[in-house]
Amino acid sequence: MQSNHFQLGKGWTAEFSARVSAQSVVAIYTVPWLGSMNTGLQKAVSTKLKVKLSIQDSIHTNRTIATLSAPANIQHVRISYDTRVALLNVSYTFGNQKVKAARQRRTAAEGERQRAN
């Protein structure tokens, strides 16, 4: 899986991720390469409000294809369904973020590290 994020300026962010699986053999099934490409565009409207539009498997390459090879039986399986999905996410942060930072507690491991130094 490869993922990249790009800052475009003025609150805009782009995202690109891709996944590729090489050909594999599982027991008596042979599965060819599979992959998918996801893209997204996000706008920070304010410090508390963000809107993101993303598309999963935008070039429609994530398909189920397999070949079954048994001594007396050869089957080719192709399951086709649309894996392309468009998502619109809106996130809004409620409350004062400064109060949250003040409430954070130290863990026991952090306390030990402070005493050791």
Side-chain angles (χ1 to χ4, degrees), residues 22-85:
Q23 181 177 356
S24 62
V25 176
V26 181
I28 57 175
Y29 284 98
T30 302
V31 180
W33 75 274
L34 297 172
S36 67
M37 182 177 79
N38 308 319
T39 55
L41 189 62
Q42 178 174 298
K43 170 70 174 162
V45 179
S46 69
T47 57
K48 293 185 175 193
L49 178 64
K50 293 180 183 176
V51 178
K52 179 179 178 181
L53 175 66
S54 61
I55 300 173
Q56 297 176 351
D57 195 20
S58 52
I59 56 175
H60 195 48
T61 54
N62 192 16
R63 298 180 180 158
T64 302
I65 303 168
T67 301
L68 168 68
S69 298
N73 189 4
I74 295 178
Q75 296 178 6
H76 300 283
V77 177
R78 181 182 189 103
I79 301 173
S80 243
Y81 46 89
D82 199 354
T83 56
R84 294 172 291 186
V85 177

Side-chain angles (χ1 to χ4, degrees), residues 4-18:
N4 294 298
H5 299 272
F6 306 97
Q7 298 291 334
L8 303 176
K10 296 186 180 181
W12 288 94
T13 306
E15 178 181 313
F16 172 81
S17 64

